Structures are given as structure tokens and as C-alpha cells.
Amino acid sequence: MQHDRRRYRITGGRPLHGSVTVGGAKNAVTKQLVASLLTSEPSILTNVPRIVEVEIVLHMLAELGTKITWLDAKSLRVETPQITSPSLSELYSGVNRIPILMMGPLLHRVGESSIPLPGGCRIGKRPIDFHLAGLREMGAEVTEMPRSVTVKTLRLEGAHVTLPFPSVGATENILLAAVLARGTTVIHNAAVEPEVLDTIHFLQQMGALVSVEVDRTIIVEGVDRLHGTTHRPINDRIEAASFAAAAVATGGRVEVRGAQQEHLVTFLNHLRKLGGDFRVTEAGILFYRQRPLTAEHVETGVHPGFMTDWQQPLVVLLTQAQGSSVIHETIYEDRFGYTSQLNRMGANIALSTACLGGRECRFASKDFPHSAIVMGATLLCGGPLEIPDLRAGFAYILAALVAHGTSEISGTRYLERGYEDPVGKLRAIGADVETVPVSSDNT
Ligand code: EPZ
């Protein structure tokens, strides 16, 4: 169990100005680190963000036998000449979703593997049934234990796998199993998020044969061996949207260097419709407020829809917008828990179990509070905030930045898992943020 290293003390009310640079995408880099296990040769990743989640994945890889060398501040060489242990310690049970992706590579390298279960988390149940069904269809013998799962096989075989929902993790899991399997694997209803495609690019550079069809079908022709490669992962579109929202929410003007328009199209449309605007620059995208913010209707969805990880900063923006906004969350059944603390700050957000806004999703009639109505504009007041998960974490930063008065934010360990140097970046664009070491804090 990790503890906070520090709390953040934020005094709101300052428009943010200047420029900030986004790092490599957490959800691409961590998967590519796992993919590097598919060969005994070294691979190099550049543009690696210095975030806690990367440190955790490197610890996991080291336990399996990976040799890790930082070549410079952002470039990492990983090499696994031999798998020294087919199992990952149960210490990692419930830590993140990465160990389950190691099953395919470990099956190819040593024919068996035992992996701790990812566990639940505060945004929904997040089961792994699609992952295990896919591996079973490819010939793995899967045994589920209360805290871990064991897989064995003589050789993975290509298969036709139809995902009940285009799950990012399950698509990646089957991909990593399929690239070295005997024969062809077809993944129907696959996820095609930019991070998944970027990992496909990494695998193709390693020698894999993968094609993506227009109808969400991914076809993988298994090859006998893969080799090491050098790859620069895409930039983090969630971090980019987070700083974009901060610029617009505070009425400032921030150039987000490294923001890539092609990965933000849906976000940019909604931002413009609610009163923000942007200009693509040579280095990234400049974000600013065009007019007083007005209510919007947004539904999260799989790519190219509005990402579920953009939903939390958007909700804070909508607390500052005139009128009644509706957000329908269709990816996770329980991802609005964080709004209760925003209401304590003065927001007016009501949750509903109905599919608000038109389209019914798979959570219809299931009693999950997966729609939100945000009445605005509301005046937020600073206060104590406890971060419950990574993306809610940036939403609280944003709320503190627009609030009157000072907020003290704890649970910062969640935020630092996925955001690189958030305090340094926020200060560089004029935010009033102080860090308070937890040990010297007697609250
Ligand atoms: C990835 O999670 C990301 N995490 C998430 O980002 C992101 O929100 C999510 O994709 C959606 O884009 C990583 O890449 C590490 P899913 P993942 O499988 O792969 C259900 C962040 O903050 N499902 O696409 O775990 C599941 O419950 C994180 O960076 C099953 O039912 O998400 C959910 O409702 C948070 N059974 C839906 O599918 C399964 O076996 C989508 O989940 C697998 C998934």
C-alpha cells in the first residue's frame, strides 16, 4: 500500500498562462514495456514519462528478469534475456491492470505463468473475464484462484475471439498472446484507441504481422520470433486534455506542447461548443476561453468517442458553465463518485441511474449511477479534498484552481501515478500550488 508523499495546497482564482509540455502516454508506454517481454533482445523506448506507474511496471519487469537502464531522462532500455521467474508476486495484487497483460508473453517465453489479480477499484468492478476467455480460446489452460490466476500451455494457437465490448485491456492481452501464436487470430469488436494502435505499431516494429480493419477487427498472423526495436510512444492525450481544461476553466491561455489534434478531435469539438477554443501551433495546441461557458451534453464512449478519462476535468469545466449539462458515462458503471466532494465545494451535480441524453447503453435498467446533471454556473469554495482515483485527482486540482480560497488536497499518490511533475507544470503556468510534506502535517 502506497502512501502520499505530500499534499497539495492550492489557492484558486488565478488564470493560467504560459506553456506546458505533455509526456508520453502512460497507457501506451506501460503496455509496450510488457510487449518487450516477447523477445530476449533489447528494446528502447523514448518519450517515457517519469510517473509512478512506470516505476511500478519496471519493478514488476525486474522481478521477471528484465534488465532496465535509463539511457537519459526519458529513454529506457529494457532487455529480458531470460525469464528468471514465471510468476509475479502477490504483492502486486490489486495494484494495477498491467500484470494480466504479461500472461501471453510469459506463456510464449516459458509456457506458464502465475499473475496476481488486478482487483476492484473505485470506478467500477473492472472484471477480467474477456481477457481469460480470449486466452482460453487460444488454448491456454486457465486456473483462477482467489488472489491470482495461473495459465499454462504447450503453445498458443490462433483463434477467432469476439469481445462482448471493445475492451482496451482485453484487446491488448489477446494481441500480445497472438503475435507469436501458431496461425491467425482475429479479434472482433476490438478496441482501437490510439494507445492500442501505438502498441500495434511497436509490435509491428518488433516483427509482428497485425492489421486493423475499419470495422474494429484486428487480424494477427502469428510469427515465429520477434526482435528488439526502438520506439517513441505517442503523447498523453489525457494529460493534454487535463491542461486544456485548466486553461479554459481558469479563463487563461495555455499552449499545451505535444498535444496532438488527431488524438483529441472529439474533446476539441466539445470544448469549442461549451465556449473554449484552440489554435493548433507548431509545438502543440493553444487553449483559451472564447466566451462565457455554456452547458453541454456529452456521452463518453470508445474511440473515436469522448474518452471516459476526459470526463472528470470536463465535469469541473461544466460547473462553471451557464445552464444544465448532462454527462452520460457508458464505459464505467460507477465513475461519478468523485462528484460528491465537488458538491461540498459548492457544485450542483445530481446523479441518475437512467441513460440521460438519448441513447441507451449497456448499463440501462441496472441501477448504476452513470449519468450526471451539472447545474451551473456555481461558485466553488476551497476546502479539504481527498483524491479517490487518478483522473478524479486532476478534476480536484482543477476545482481548486477555479475555487475561491485555499484547498488542501490529499491522496496525491493517485495523481502522481499518471501525471508527471504536476506541481512543477502547474506552477510554470502560474498556479498557486504549494506542497506540504505529509510527515510534517499533523491533520
Ligand atoms: C484502460 O483500462 C485504461 N487503463 C483506462 O485508463 C481507460 O479508462 C480504459 O482503458 C478505457 O479507455 C489502462 O490502459 C491501464 P477496458 P482497461 O477493458 O483496459 C469492461 C486511467 O486512468 N470489461 O477498456 O481496464 C470494464 O469493466 C485508466 O488511465 C469487462 O467487463 O479498460 C469496463 O466497463 C482508468 N471485462 C469496460 O469493459 C473485461 O474482461 C472497458 O474497460 C474487461 C473489461
Side-chain angles (χ1 to χ4, degrees), residues 1 24 65 114 154 177-178 207 211 219 283 286 309 338 343 367 396 400 422 424 437:
M1 170 70 192
S114 176
L154 291 177
S211 56
I219 301 170
L286 175 72
D309 302 290
Y338 72 95
N343 282 344
D367 216 24
Y396 286 177

Side-chain angles (χ1 to χ4, degrees), residues 238-266:
I238 310 174
E239 189 187 12
S242 304
F243 281 102
V248 175
T250 61
R253 204 174 172 84
V254 176
E255 183 183 27
V256 183
R257 298 168 76 89
Q260 292 170 277
Q261 184 186 7
E262 69 268 35
H263 299 152
L264 288 163
V265 173
T266 311

Side-chain angles (χ1 to χ4, degrees), residues 88-333:
L88 205 55
S89 140
E90 282 199 8
L91 271 180
Y92 293 115
S93 178
V95 167
N96 63 22
R97 313 277 296 167
I98 300 303
I100 42 169
L101 302 181
M102 295 175 174
M103 292 190 286
L106 288 172
L107 283 174
H108 287 302
R109 294 289 296 269
V110 288
E112 62 175 317
S113 160
S114 176
I115 287 299
L117 287 174
C121 101
R122 301 184 199 190
I123 60 176
K125 285 198 288 292
R126 303 185 80 184
I128 56 164
D129 49 339
F130 307 165
H131 297 243
L132 300 184
L135 289 174
R136 281 190 174 111
E137 282 178 72
M138 296 182 71
E141 192 187 303
V142 180
T143 314
E144 291 177 73
M145 257 88 79
R147 296 195 63 202
S148 64
V149 53
T150 301
V151 282
K152 271 190 202 157
T153 186
L154 291 177
R155 172 124 199 220
L156 288 170
E157 306 280 345
H160 275 253
V161 179
T162 301
L163 293 176
F165 184 81
S167 152
V168 168
T171 301
E172 291 163 338
N173 206 333
I174 297 160
L175 260 173
L176 294 174
V179 281
L180 286 175
R182 182 161 48 204
T184 298
T185 300
V186 183
I187 314 173
H188 300 280
N189 201 26
V192 290
E193 266 60 10
E195 294 77 15
V196 177
L197 298 184
D198 193 52
T199 295
I200 289 177
H201 298 159
F202 179 73
L203 291 166
Q204 191 180 41
Q205 285 167 241
M206 292 177 79
L209 287 172
V210 184
S211 56
V212 182
E213 311 282 302
V214 284
D215 63 347
R216 295 190 170 282
T217 301
I218 296 180
I219 301 170
V220 187
E221 293 168 63
V223 294
D224 288 335
R225 67 178 291 277
L226 295 175
H227 52 78
T229 189
T230 297
H231 179 69
R232 185 183 200 281
I234 55 169
N235 289 336
D236 199 308
R237 63 191 170 123
I238 310 174
E239 189 187 12
S242 304
F243 281 102
V248 175
T250 61
R253 204 174 172 84
V254 176
E255 183 183 27
V256 183
R257 298 168 76 89
Q260 292 170 277
Q261 184 186 7
E262 69 268 35
H263 299 152
L264 288 163
V265 173
T266 311
F267 175 82
L268 295 173
N269 286 336
H270 281 288
L271 191 77
R272 182 172 274 163
K273 287 203 277 183
L274 67 84
D277 214 342
F278 67 92
R279 182 161 58 76
V280 175
T281 63
E282 215 163 278
I285 305 180
L286 175 72
F287 291 96
Y288 49 93
R289 192 185 284 194
Q290 178 63 30
R291 56 168 172 80
L293 305 183
T294 48
E296 248 294 89
H297 167 221
V298 180
E299 181 171 276
T300 65
V302 296
H303 190 72
F306 192 94
M307 279 189 96
T308 171
D309 302 290
W310 292 331
Q311 179 253 96
Q312 307 74 5
L314 177 90
V315 163
V316 178
L317 256 181
L318 293 176
T319 66
Q320 304 307 299
Q322 197 59 46
S324 151
S325 298
V326 171
I327 301 104
H328 181 203
E329 168 63 61
T330 74
I331 305 294
Y332 292 112
E333 67 273 26

Side-chain angles (χ1 to χ4, degrees), residues 27-62:
N27 293 342
V29 172
T30 49
K31 318 300 172 71
Q32 291 156 16
L33 286 171
V34 175
S36 78
L37 290 171
L38 287 161
T39 174
S40 56
E41 293 180 17
S43 287
I44 293 172
L45 288 174
T46 61
N47 195 32
V48 178
R50 302 307 292 258
I51 51 175
V52 172
E53 195 70 0
V54 166
E55 280 172 33
I56 294 173
V57 175
L58 291 178
H59 278 115
M60 291 174 177
L61 290 182

